[in-house]
Amino acid sequence: MSRKHYREAAEILRRAAERSDPDHVGVIRDIADSMAGMFKRDNGNFDRLRFIAAVFEDAA
């Protein structure tokens, strides 16, 4: 996958987190963590923490 795909995935999750009930943000965080793990397996240089931070930078 390309950086474009990672950015798009982060944007989709960011929008979901912004629109969701605060009780459901944990579920979105779990999804983001799972996706980050998948991306890391696909690309050894992928930065999981940076991806998760990008998802939640403006949420909640």
Side-chain angles (χ1 to χ4, degrees):
M1 295 181 80
S2 68
R3 288 183 183 186
K4 176 185 175 214
H5 293 111
Y6 301 142
R7 283 193 296 268
E8 289 173 351
E11 179 62 28
I12 290 167
L13 290 172
R14 182 181 310 115
R15 279 191 251 139
E18 290 170 351
R19 295 178 183 173
S20 73
D21 185 305
D23 295 335
H24 297 138
V25 172
V27 172
I28 294 168
R29 186 174 300 278
D30 290 343
I31 293 168
D33 188 49
S34 295
M35 289 179 76
M38 179 182 67
F39 295 157
K40 179 70 173 175
R41 284 189 298 277
D42 185 51
N43 176 356
N45 295 321
F46 182 78
D47 187 344
R48 292 176 66 145
L49 295 177
R50 180 184 247 174
F51 176 77
I52 293 171
V55 170
F56 292 99
E57 68 185 8
D58 297 327

